[in-house]
Amino acid sequence: MAETDFWKGHGTENDFVLLPGDAEVTPERVRALCDRRAGIGGDGVIRAVGDGSHWFMDYYNADGSLSEMCGNGIRVFALHLREEHHATFPLEIGTRDGIKVLSESELGFSADMGSPRVVGTSTISVGDRTWPAVHVDMGNPHAVVFVDDLDDAGPLHDPPVHDPADYPDGVNVEFVVRRGPGHVAMRVHERGSGETRSCGTGACAVMVAAARADGAAYPATYRVDVPGGTLAVTLDGSLDQDGRVHLDGPAVIVARGTTAL
Ligand SMILES: N[C@@H](CCC[C@H](N)C(=O)O)C(=O)O
């Protein structure tokens, strides 16, 4: 594979390898880059496709599969564009789920994630345990499972079992506990990446499911704790009136270099 520049970054420890727009990307190359022992290591790869004024986040999961959207990745991508390409904000970024607008914030960056869709209910199983799940579409698919304790789901070495009729393209599964009013904590098993330290779209799905269950008054902001840190998620209006979700959190670049992987 031809040598290419790379950057490594994370948002609440959901970590990504960033590549320039002319880098060749194949599923094999994504897997090699994301390998935590033989590669750089990451939950996904982001290719920065653009011409200096229009940008597209070309996102891949660690197993080489595509996803429509990545909420933590888009903040890291925004930081990369500011540092390496002099991008100014607010900034429109294209994704497979359409255009997202990124703004600078006290925490780092805030992303307008659009209007969520609560599709219905489903079930999720791990081992001999089965829970009801709320199906939330954030552009990518999520199953939100309220549990008594975050350890209830066990070590999550294998993907939780979902109903393929509800999720024909697979699903990201969030296990959630309540910590207090407007405050939840979650673990996530990501489609294509396994258990990760955070998931931005997952935090949005969790907030939407929790606020809906709480009968929250809008705008509502929830603190969402993840193993890798804390995110703030705001729903600016009711779901019936196409309220939009805003995801706010940190972004960090930790390394840059070249790789022939
Ligand atoms: N970690 C991401 C979500 C990445 C995509 C996901 N695994 C999928 O396949 O939909 C986030 O921060 O949102």
Side-chain angles (χ1 to χ4, degrees):
M1 197 60 77
E3 187 140 307
T4 181
D5 291 338
F6 78 87
W7 295 260
K8 169 79 191 273
H10 73 91
T12 52
E13 298 180 1
N14 197 191
D15 59 344
F16 311 99
V17 178
L18 291 91
L19 300 177
D22 60 359
E24 189 185 341
V25 176
T26 62
E28 295 72 28
R29 188 174 209 184
V30 170
R31 288 194 286 273
L33 290 165
C34 290
D35 190 308
R36 294 195 182 279
R37 295 181 192 280
I40 295 164
D43 296 324
V45 165
I46 295 171
R47 192 162 60 121
V49 180
D51 60 7
S53 55
H54 295 89
W55 291 101
F56 176 78
M57 177 176 74
D58 187 21
Y59 179 83
Y60 300 82
N61 287 316
D63 69 355
S65 60
L66 294 175
S67 178
E68 301 84 346
M69 184 46 196
C70 179
N72 288 323
I74 205 164
R75 297 195 316 279
V76 178
F77 187 47
L79 175 62
H80 170 71
L81 295 180
R82 188 178 74 189
E83 303 300 298
E84 301 291 333
H85 297 280
H86 313 294
T88 55
F89 295 83
L91 176 70
E92 291 188 348
I93 296 178
T95 73
R96 291 189 179 86
D97 184 45
I99 289 184
K100 310 291 173 188
V101 179
L102 273 285
S103 306
E104 291 169 300
S105 70
E106 267 182 35
L107 294 180
F109 291 93
S110 173
D112 179 342
M113 305 283 283
S115 297
R117 210 160 53 88
V118 178
V119 180
T121 53
S122 190
T123 57
I124 290 293
S125 302
V126 176
D128 58 6
R129 298 197 64 171
T130 298
W131 299 269
V134 185
H135 181 171
V136 182
D137 189 325
M138 286 301 310
N140 59 352
H142 293 270
V144 178
V145 178
F146 289 92
V147 290
D148 296 327
D149 189 299
L150 287 179
D151 288 336
D152 284 359
L156 289 179
H157 295 315
D158 298 318
V161 177
H162 65 272
D163 182 343
D166 293 333
Y167 299 106
D169 300 319
V171 64
N172 302 286
V173 180
E174 289 82 28
F175 296 94
V176 196
V177 293
R178 294 183 178 279
R179 293 287 193 228
H183 183 189
V184 292
M186 60 174 260
R187 285 171 72 188
V188 59
H189 188 284
E190 285 194 44
R191 176 180 68 168
S193 301
E195 184 169 17
T196 62
R197 303 276 298 163
S198 179
C199 177
T201 49
C204 295
V206 162
M207 184 279 172
V208 167
R212 185 168 167 266
D214 293 345
Y218 299 109
T221 298
Y222 277 53
R223 169 179 166 171
V224 183
D225 293 342
V226 293
T230 293
L231 295 160
V233 183
T234 299
L235 182 55
D236 66 11
S238 74
L239 293 168
D240 304 340
Q241 291 171 330
D242 292 334
R244 300 178 76 82
V245 177
H246 303 264
L247 172 66
D248 197 349
V252 186
I253 299 286
V254 298
R256 62 170 295 174
T258 56
T259 178
L261 282 172

